[in-house]
PDB file of all heavy atoms in Angstrom:
ATOM      1  N   GLU A 404     133.125  80.354 108.864  1.00  0.00           N
ATOM      2  CA  GLU A 404     133.674  81.717 109.128  1.00  0.00           C
ATOM      3  C   GLU A 404     133.194  82.660 108.107  1.00  0.00           C
ATOM      4  O   GLU A 404     133.036  83.822 108.340  1.00  0.00           O
ATOM      5  CB  GLU A 404     135.297  81.684 108.970  1.00  0.00           C
ATOM      6  CG  GLU A 404     136.054  80.614 109.645  1.00  0.00           C
ATOM      7  CD  GLU A 404     136.184  79.448 108.792  1.00  0.00           C
ATOM      8  OE1 GLU A 404     137.072  79.404 107.939  1.00  0.00           O
ATOM      9  OE2 GLU A 404     135.332  78.422 108.823  1.00  0.00           O
ATOM     10  N   GLN A 405     132.888  82.216 106.813  1.00  0.00           N
ATOM     11  CA  GLN A 405     132.369  83.041 105.909  1.00  0.00           C
ATOM     12  C   GLN A 405     131.029  83.442 106.314  1.00  0.00           C
ATOM     13  O   GLN A 405     130.548  84.669 106.057  1.00  0.00           O
ATOM     14  CB  GLN A 405     132.161  82.257 104.576  1.00  0.00           C
ATOM     15  CG  GLN A 405     133.407  82.146 103.788  1.00  0.00           C
ATOM     16  CD  GLN A 405     133.763  83.428 103.051  1.00  0.00           C
ATOM     17  OE1 GLN A 405     134.725  84.168 103.455  1.00  0.00           O
ATOM     18  NE2 GLN A 405     133.205  83.706 101.833  1.00  0.00           N
ATOM     19  N   ILE A 406     130.236  82.552 106.741  1.00  0.00           N
ATOM     20  CA  ILE A 406     128.870  83.005 107.245  1.00  0.00           C
ATOM     21  C   ILE A 406     128.969  83.942 108.405  1.00  0.00           C
ATOM     22  O   ILE A 406     128.167  84.981 108.408  1.00  0.00           O
ATOM     23  CB  ILE A 406     127.980  81.641 107.667  1.00  0.00           C
ATOM     24  CG1 ILE A 406     127.748  80.865 106.377  1.00  0.00           C
ATOM     25  CG2 ILE A 406     126.734  82.132 108.244  1.00  0.00           C
ATOM     26  CD1 ILE A 406     126.715  79.849 106.549  1.00  0.00           C
ATOM     27  N   ALA A 407     129.833  83.677 109.201  1.00  0.00           N
ATOM     28  CA  ALA A 407     129.952  84.779 110.458  1.00  0.00           C
ATOM     29  C   ALA A 407     130.470  86.091 109.846  1.00  0.00           C
ATOM     30  O   ALA A 407     129.896  87.071 110.259  1.00  0.00           O
ATOM     31  CB  ALA A 407     131.105  84.251 111.377  1.00  0.00           C
ATOM     32  N   ALA A 408     131.236  86.089 108.967  1.00  0.00           N
ATOM     33  CA  ALA A 408     131.634  87.325 108.316  1.00  0.00           C
ATOM     34  C   ALA A 408     130.544  88.100 107.635  1.00  0.00           C
ATOM     35  O   ALA A 408     130.346  89.290 107.720  1.00  0.00           O
ATOM     36  CB  ALA A 408     132.870  87.158 107.516  1.00  0.00           C
ATOM     37  N   LEU A 409     129.693  87.271 106.962  1.00  0.00           N
ATOM     38  CA  LEU A 409     128.581  87.801 106.148  1.00  0.00           C
ATOM     39  C   LEU A 409     127.583  88.441 107.199  1.00  0.00           C
ATOM     40  O   LEU A 409     127.103  89.487 106.927  1.00  0.00           O
ATOM     41  CB  LEU A 409     127.938  86.604 105.418  1.00  0.00           C
ATOM     42  CG  LEU A 409     126.522  86.944 104.681  1.00  0.00           C
ATOM     43  CD1 LEU A 409     126.758  88.005 103.585  1.00  0.00           C
ATOM     44  CD2 LEU A 409     126.029  85.650 104.084  1.00  0.00           C
ATOM     45  N   ASN A 410     127.274  87.616 108.266  1.00  0.00           N
ATOM     46  CA  ASN A 410     126.479  88.257 109.297  1.00  0.00           C
ATOM     47  C   ASN A 410     126.890  89.529 109.804  1.00  0.00           C
ATOM     48  O   ASN A 410     126.181  90.408 110.192  1.00  0.00           O
ATOM     49  CB  ASN A 410     126.176  87.216 110.388  1.00  0.00           C
ATOM     50  CG  ASN A 410     125.146  86.084 109.867  1.00  0.00           C
ATOM     51  OD1 ASN A 410     124.153  86.457 109.134  1.00  0.00           O
ATOM     52  ND2 ASN A 410     125.311  84.851 110.224  1.00  0.00           N
ATOM     53  N   GLN A 411     128.225  89.580 109.977  1.00  0.00           N
ATOM     54  CA  GLN A 411     128.856  90.753 110.561  1.00  0.00           C
ATOM     55  C   GLN A 411     128.527  91.925 109.594  1.00  0.00           C
ATOM     56  O   GLN A 411     128.362  93.114 110.066  1.00  0.00           O
ATOM     57  CB  GLN A 411     130.337  90.613 110.757  1.00  0.00           C
ATOM     58  CG  GLN A 411     130.989  91.626 111.588  1.00  0.00           C
ATOM     59  CD  GLN A 411     130.332  91.591 113.114  1.00  0.00           C
ATOM     60  OE1 GLN A 411     130.048  90.620 113.623  1.00  0.00           O
ATOM     61  NE2 GLN A 411     130.141  92.808 113.480  1.00  0.00           N
ATOM     62  N   LEU A 412     128.614  91.785 108.264  1.00  0.00           N
ATOM     63  CA  LEU A 412     128.423  92.799 107.405  1.00  0.00           C
ATOM     64  C   LEU A 412     126.882  93.279 107.381  1.00  0.00           C
ATOM     65  O   LEU A 412     126.601  94.341 107.315  1.00  0.00           O
ATOM     66  CB  LEU A 412     128.725  92.296 105.922  1.00  0.00           C
ATOM     67  CG  LEU A 412     130.002  92.305 105.350  1.00  0.00           C
ATOM     68  CD1 LEU A 412     130.023  91.815 103.810  1.00  0.00           C
ATOM     69  CD2 LEU A 412     130.504  93.767 105.378  1.00  0.00           C
ATOM     70  N   LEU A 413     126.158  92.282 107.563  1.00  0.00           N
ATOM     71  CA  LEU A 413     124.581  92.552 107.512  1.00  0.00           C
ATOM     72  C   LEU A 413     124.148  93.191 108.767  1.00  0.00           C
ATOM     73  O   LEU A 413     123.225  94.065 108.712  1.00  0.00           O
ATOM     74  CB  LEU A 413     123.796  91.392 107.427  1.00  0.00           C
ATOM     75  CG  LEU A 413     123.951  90.586 106.127  1.00  0.00           C
ATOM     76  CD1 LEU A 413     123.253  89.265 106.014  1.00  0.00           C
ATOM     77  CD2 LEU A 413     123.573  91.427 104.834  1.00  0.00           C
ATOM     78  N   GLN A 414     124.873  93.051 110.055  1.00  0.00           N
ATOM     79  CA  GLN A 414     124.371  93.435 111.239  1.00  0.00           C
ATOM     80  C   GLN A 414     124.200  95.016 111.308  1.00  0.00           C
ATOM     81  O   GLN A 414     123.296  95.523 111.840  1.00  0.00           O
ATOM     82  CB  GLN A 414     125.396  93.006 112.261  1.00  0.00           C
ATOM     83  CG  GLN A 414     125.209  93.658 113.763  1.00  0.00           C
ATOM     84  CD  GLN A 414     125.930  94.922 113.977  1.00  0.00           C
ATOM     85  OE1 GLN A 414     126.948  95.123 113.494  1.00  0.00           O
ATOM     86  NE2 GLN A 414     125.302  95.753 114.800  1.00  0.00           N
ATOM     87  N   GLY A 415     125.247  95.709 110.742  1.00  0.00           N
ATOM     88  CA  GLY A 415     125.206  97.130 110.886  1.00  0.00           C
ATOM     89  C   GLY A 415     124.816  97.901 109.606  1.00  0.00           C
ATOM     90  O   GLY A 415     125.072  99.059 109.472  1.00  0.00           O
TER      91      GLY A 415
END
Side-chain angles (χ1 to χ4, degrees):
E404 315 89 83
Q405 281 286 94
I406 292 192
L409 171 62
N410 282 324
Q411 197 55 44
L412 275 179
L413 296 174
Q414 174 270 331

